[in-house]
């Protein structure tokens, strides 16, 4: 649905000082703009009122189990990689009211659908891995057997503005997943921040909505030098990527090693806290909660994010199916990288690295997959650390 | 010329929204199993044998429950429920006249057409009778289309036997070859004692020309399948219905996954060759 609608026009250049005009143009069109902003030392996605809300001169330092924002020596507005919040929070919120049962007399009730306000939202500053994650969620929640009503409503009138990556974190591996650091698709408007020389943005608009926005801005045509600067930026970013995931044959590798001793080794470290599923931009599992008001006259049913790491997740009458952390981590990783492909014809992983950064004990799925691969090819290699 | 926008079609009822139905009767099958009937007038639920509904109790929650009534009479919809968790316990305590919420039907039904011209062998343990009862009732309506119809029914004890009226009727009119067994007997029980899987090698049916419907605890289905394979029934003609935690019924909440399958949508009925390898992996 976000395939280019028209032949992509030539790229243009917007001076960094003009970025506020872009945000104003969005607000003027009635969009609620949500994008990166600094809060409590973390870059999160929240409402933006203007370019002054963007984290200027902020970088980040990410490692397994480690996240810090750091000052940069330049005025970069997008000098950091992804933080913990993803577009999932906007499109498939953590809590979603579904309906209420309102009691009528002693034994009867009627059902009232939840109001579903769908504001016009523009998601600003999404990284290519984020755009790829939305494409994955589209497959799951929009084009699945039963389109999800909440996601569909939030997706309906959505404008996406992407920003390519020049400074990936140490936990990023988007180049392995072919989702970044650059992209030509998935958004209405794509920005590339160029810092050398004049601080400026290269703008490309794959859709008519994006082109209409660009038409409102004071831009100049991109020169060969601008385009070369983008190429160099993306090449450096891809080259700087420290982590890699070998996706070749990973489906059969994991499903062929469901009893691999490495799962036991991971289970010794994994706390089954579910952080990885919460920060993952594609994890879609939910549960429902029924709450009754104090008078007992209205029972509200709410859907909320759930995690396959909780013991309750597989609870049936007598017991849970996945009692051990071993089984729950195995479920998460094999779903993300293997059975997701069977279900939705795409990997569930976009290489954003959030699950590595936000794991309190720093479990790194790229390393775990590499170990399983190495030890299944060479049975003598040690599988336990 | 003014062109009006076509009205946008806003779905008035989501896939996850229950519909209220008034309970017409509550039939106590055993000490912890009830059959709850509703008589849907306005919104009958057309279903196939083996499908399930999500049943909601006001303020308590929702559970996936097999439909146990006759598919040919949509004016009477029954769910048979064992009290296990919060919701099923609340369902067991319901009084006639109470309103419950129902949405459905969901899931892949039993492949009854495939059994036509063959022997139909139904093997159940405990409340496993509930999802196969509609299949038996439908097969009996077209009795001439099937060879032998055999029911092997196990229960923990005589007091755990469900659908006794059906058993008596089917046994009396000899339309079905019924074999009942209990794991442990009590005084006054004159029937068989022993697990239901032990009956499989002995009852008369044609292993090479039969379709098996199997429903019970997973361990019982595993040993039954082994016994059936041992008798020469092909794995692709042994059908089981599986149970996992289900929250949505439409394959979106993620809870009921088994390998790449969403049990609620891709199942709950599977042929043994589809799931045997998956069920063989502990805690998958």
């Amino acid at each position: 649905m976000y395939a280019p609608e028209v032949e992509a026009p030539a790229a243009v250049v917007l001076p960094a000082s003009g970025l506020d005009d872009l945000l104003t143009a969005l607000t003027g069109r009635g969009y609620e703009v949500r994008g990166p902003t600094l809060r409590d030392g973390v870059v999160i996605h929240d409402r933006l009122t203007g370019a002054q809300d963007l984290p200027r001169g902020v970088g980040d330092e990410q490692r397994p189990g480690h996240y810090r924002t750091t000052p940069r020596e330049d005025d970069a507005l997008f000098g950091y990689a992804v933080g913990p919040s993803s577009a999932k929070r906007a499109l498939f919120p953590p809590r979603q009211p579904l309906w209420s049962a309102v009691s009528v007399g002693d034994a009867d009730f009627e059902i009232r659908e939840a109001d579903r306000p769908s504001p016009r939202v523009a998601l600003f500053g999404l990284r290519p891995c984020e755009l790829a994650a939305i494409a994955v969620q589209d497959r799951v929640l929009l084009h699945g057997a039963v389109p999800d009503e909440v996601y569909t409503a939030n997706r309906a009138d959505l404008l996406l503005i992407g920003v390519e990556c020049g400074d990936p974190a140490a936990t990023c591996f988007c180049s392995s997943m072919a989702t970044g650091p650059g992209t030509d698709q998935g958004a209405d408007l794509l920005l590339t921040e160029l810092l050398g020389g004049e601080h400026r943005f290269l703008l490309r608009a794959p859709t008519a909505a994006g082109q209409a926005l660009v038409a409102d801005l004071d831009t100049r045509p991109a020169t060969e030098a601008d385009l070369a600067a983008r190429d160099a930026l993306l090449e450096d970013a891809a080259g700087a990527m420290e982590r890699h995931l070998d996706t070749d044959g990973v489906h059969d590798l994991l499903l062929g090693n469901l009893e691999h001793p490495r799962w036991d080794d991971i289970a010794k470290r994994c706390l089954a806290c579910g952080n990885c599923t919460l920060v993952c931009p594609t994890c879609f599992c939910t549960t429902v909660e029924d709450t009754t008001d104090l008078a007992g006259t209205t029972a509200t049913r709410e859907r909320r994010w759930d995690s396959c790491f909780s013991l309750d997740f597989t609870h049936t009458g007598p017991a849970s199916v996945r009692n051990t952390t071993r089984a729950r981590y195995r479920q998460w990783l094999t779903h993300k990288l293997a059975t997701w492909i069977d279900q939705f014809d795409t990997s569930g992983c976009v290489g954003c690295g959030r699950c590595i950064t936000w794991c309190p004990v720093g479990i790194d799925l790229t390393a775990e997959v590499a170990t399983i691969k190495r030890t299944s090819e060479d049975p003598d290699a040690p599988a336990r650390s | 010329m003014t062109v009006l926008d076509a009205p946008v079609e806003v779905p008035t009822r989501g896939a996850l929204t229950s519909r209220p139905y008034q309970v017409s009767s509550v039939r106590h099958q055993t000490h912890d199993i009830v059959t709850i009937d509703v008589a849907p007038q306005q919104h009958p639920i057309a279903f196939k044998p083996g499908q399930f509904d999500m049943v909601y109790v006001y303020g308590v929650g929702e559970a996936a429950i097999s439909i146990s009534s006759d598919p040919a009479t949509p004016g009477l919809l029954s769910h048979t429920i064992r009290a296990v968790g919060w919701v099923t316990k609340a369902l067991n305590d319901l009084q006639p006249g109470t309103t419950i919420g129902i949405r459905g039907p969901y899931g892949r039904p039993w492949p009854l057409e495939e059994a036509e011209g063959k022997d139909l062998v139904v093997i159940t343990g405990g409340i496993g009778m509930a999802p196969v009862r509609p299949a038996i009732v439908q097969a009996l309506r077209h009795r001439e289309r099937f060879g032998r119809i055999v029911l092997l029914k196990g229960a923990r004890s005589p007091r755990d036997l469900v659908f006794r009226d059906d058993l008596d009727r089917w046994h009396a009119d000899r339309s079905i070859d019924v074999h009942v067994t209990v794991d442990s007997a009590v005084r006054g029980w004159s029937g068989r004692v022993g697990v239901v899987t032990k009956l499989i090698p002995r009852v008369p049916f044609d292993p090479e020309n039969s379709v098996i419907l199997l429903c019970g605890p997973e361990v019982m289905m595993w040993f039954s399948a082994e016994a059936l394979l041992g008798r020469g029934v092909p794995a692709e003609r042994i059908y089981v219905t599986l149970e996992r935690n289900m929250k949505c019924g439409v394959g979106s909440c993620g809870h009921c996954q088994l390998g790449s399958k969403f049990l609620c949508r891709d199942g709950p009925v599977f042929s043994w060759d589809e799931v045997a390898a998956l069920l063989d992996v502990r805690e998958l």
Side-chain angles (χ1 to χ4, degrees):
Chain A
M1 89 186 310
Y2 271 71
E5 290 164 13
V6 286
E7 196 174 323
V12 296
V13 168
L14 178 75
S17 57
L19 203 62
D20 202 49
D21 297 339
L22 174 55
L23 288 162
T24 305
L26 288 167
T27 319
R29 283 170 157 77
Y31 284 103
E32 180 188 317
V33 185
R34 294 185 205 163
T37 191
L38 196 61
R39 173 145 337 138
D40 302 329
V42 179
V43 176
I44 60 158
H45 277 261
D46 205 348
R47 196 160 182 170
L48 301 180
T49 57
Q52 77 279 0
D53 291 339
L54 292 167
R56 181 181 294 269
V58 173
D60 62 10
E61 185 184 271
Q62 301 195 37
R63 293 194 303 273
H66 179 95
Y67 177 96
R68 295 286 183 280
T69 45
T70 52
R72 288 175 63 105
E73 289 177 356
D74 54 30
D75 277 340
L77 291 162
F78 298 94
Y80 40 84
V82 290
S85 56
S86 70
K88 181 171 84 170
R89 190 167 281 277
L91 303 181
F92 196 64
R95 301 194 83 92
Q96 310 152 10
L98 293 177
W99 46 267
S100 293
V102 181
S103 68
V104 182
D106 284 344
D108 196 10
F109 62 82
E110 53 190 48
I111 300 280
R112 291 191 194 148
E113 293 276 346
D115 289 335
R116 232 185 284 301
S118 47
R120 277 191 110 189
V121 170
L123 295 181
F124 185 83
L126 297 175
R127 302 300 185 168
C129 62
E130 286 273 49
L131 298 171
I134 293 173
V136 171
Q137 287 218 304
D138 281 354
R139 283 188 180 227
V140 176
L141 298 166
L142 209 55
H143 306 304
V146 178
D148 185 80
E149 53 203 88
V150 173
Y151 187 84
T152 304
N154 288 330
R155 190 73 175 86
D157 195 14
L158 185 72
L159 199 74
L160 297 173
I161 294 144
V163 177
E164 293 186 311
C165 276
D167 214 344
T171 43
C172 293
F173 57 101
C174 65
S175 56
S176 297
M177 305 313 292
T179 59
T183 188
D184 295 322
Q185 59 188 6
D188 298 286
L189 182 60
L190 289 160
L191 276 57
T192 315
E193 184 172 32
L194 300 173
L195 291 158
E198 178 205 5
H199 187 188
R200 63 204 191 279
F201 287 90
L202 192 70
L203 268 51
R204 292 168 299 141
T207 70
Q211 284 153 29
L213 269 175
V214 171
D216 280 5
L217 302 172
D218 194 7
T219 59
R220 65 163 170 84
T223 63
E224 286 297 321
D226 296 319
L227 298 173
R230 170 182 178 249
D231 291 345
L233 180 91
L234 296 178
E235 199 174 319
D236 287 352
M241 213 84 65
E242 290 176 23
R243 280 186 160 67
H244 301 280
L245 179 69
D246 186 0
T247 56
D248 188 28
V250 70
H251 173 275
D252 292 355
L253 174 77
L254 293 181
L255 296 187
N257 282 288
L258 294 174
E259 304 290 3
H260 196 282
R262 190 67 183 178
W263 303 119
D264 298 296
D265 185 89
I266 298 167
K268 284 184 196 151
R269 290 170 279 141
C270 175
L271 308 175
C273 69
N275 263 17
C276 49
T277 57
L278 297 179
V279 294
C280 178
T282 66
C283 271
F284 59 83
C285 288
T286 55
T287 189
V288 281
E289 278 178 0
D290 296 279
T291 49
T292 311
D293 66 358
L294 282 176
T297 52
T298 304
T300 302
R301 170 154 272 236
E302 210 175 36
R303 182 168 67 172
R304 64 165 175 81
W305 291 354
D306 203 359
S307 171
C308 54
F309 281 89
S310 78
L311 177 60
D312 214 31
F313 191 81
T314 54
H315 188 81
T316 54
S320 286
V321 175
R322 295 183 207 114
N323 278 297
T324 61
T325 302
R326 171 189 186 271
R328 288 180 243 155
Y329 186 90
R330 181 181 67 184
Q331 167 61 24
W332 179 71
L333 194 68
T334 54
H335 186 216
K336 193 65 57 187
L337 296 178
T339 51
W340 203 297
I341 299 170
D342 301 325
Q343 293 166 346
F344 304 110
D345 203 23
T346 176
S347 175
C349 178
V350 295
C352 71
R354 285 185 179 93
C355 58
I356 306 172
T357 297
W358 297 95
C359 175
V361 294
I363 294 173
D364 174 356
L365 80 168
T366 67
E368 301 306 339
V369 169
T371 302
I372 291 172
K373 188 177 176 73
R374 181 169 47 80
T375 50
S376 66
E377 284 166 356
D378 173 12
D380 294 330
R384 292 165 193 268
S385 52
Chain B
M1 191 175 79
T2 307
V3 180
L4 292 170
D5 284 342
V8 178
E9 197 179 333
V10 180
T12 51
R13 185 169 288 272
L16 303 175
T17 307
S18 213
R19 202 185 278 282
Y21 291 87
Q22 197 181 42
V23 173
S24 54
S25 66
V26 178
R27 292 179 282 151
H28 289 269
Q29 297 264 357
T30 71
H31 62 104
D32 65 350
I33 296 175
V34 292
T35 294
I36 291 174
D37 302 321
V38 299
Q41 303 288 321
Q42 282 184 302
H43 302 286
I45 293 177
F47 70 96
K48 291 181 172 168
Q51 289 195 295
F52 67 93
D53 285 324
M54 297 300 294
V55 179
Y56 168 80
V57 182
Y58 177 80
V60 180
E62 215 177 33
I65 309 285
S66 298
I67 306 172
S68 60
S69 50
D70 183 352
T73 55
L76 171 71
L77 186 71
S78 308
H79 298 86
T80 302
I81 301 138
R82 184 163 152 242
V84 179
W86 285 106
V87 178
T88 50
K89 279 179 181 142
L91 283 164
N92 263 257
D93 293 339
L94 277 188
Q95 300 297 318
T98 310
T99 298
I100 56 173
I102 301 176
R103 58 187 177 93
Y106 300 118
R108 184 161 69 157
W110 298 109
L112 211 51
E113 300 77 22
E114 195 188 324
E116 292 183 7
K118 301 186 179 72
D119 289 351
L120 177 67
V121 181
V122 181
I123 308 172
T124 71
I127 194 161
M129 264 302 283
V132 294
R133 185 181 177 272
I136 296 174
V137 171
Q138 183 155 311
L140 285 176
R141 182 164 287 114
H142 309 285
R143 183 67 190 84
E144 72 288 353
R145 296 184 191 168
F146 301 87
R148 294 184 190 90
I149 300 182
V150 182
L151 171 64
L152 310 184
K153 179 171 163 41
R156 269 182 300 189
S157 74
R159 72 176 197 138
D160 294 306
L161 278 168
V162 288
F163 300 108
R164 281 168 181 260
D165 298 351
D166 289 332
L167 294 179
D168 292 345
R169 194 171 62 251
W170 296 334
H171 193 67
D173 67 14
R174 298 182 183 281
S175 51
I176 301 185
D177 184 11
V178 181
H179 302 262
V180 178
T181 182
V182 296
D183 296 349
S184 55
V186 289
R187 193 186 299 272
W189 173 254
S190 56
R192 280 189 198 80
V193 179
V195 291
V196 70
T197 51
K198 299 287 183 201
L199 297 175
I200 293 168
R202 291 188 269 150
V203 295
F205 68 90
D206 181 359
E208 281 158 26
N209 192 37
S210 56
V211 163
I212 318 290
L213 312 184
L214 190 49
C215 182
E218 219 159 280
V219 61
M220 167 266 182
M221 294 198 282
W222 187 268
F223 282 105
S224 297
E226 297 272 289
L228 291 161
L229 293 169
R231 247 191 103 162
V233 181
E236 62 271 21
R237 287 217 293 275
I238 302 171
Y239 290 92
V240 295
T241 182
L242 299 180
E243 187 186 8
R244 287 290 186 276
N245 188 315
M246 292 178 191
K247 296 291 185 197
C248 71
V250 296
S252 72
C253 78
H255 282 252
C256 68
Q257 289 177 86
L258 176 67
S260 62
K261 299 181 191 314
F262 292 98
L263 253 56
C264 69
R265 194 185 67 203
D266 303 329
V269 170
F270 293 99
S271 66
W272 190 245
D273 60 323
E274 287 178 296
V275 292
L278 297 170
L279 294 175
D280 202 22
V281 180
R282 273 193 73 192
E283 296 193 76
L284 193 66

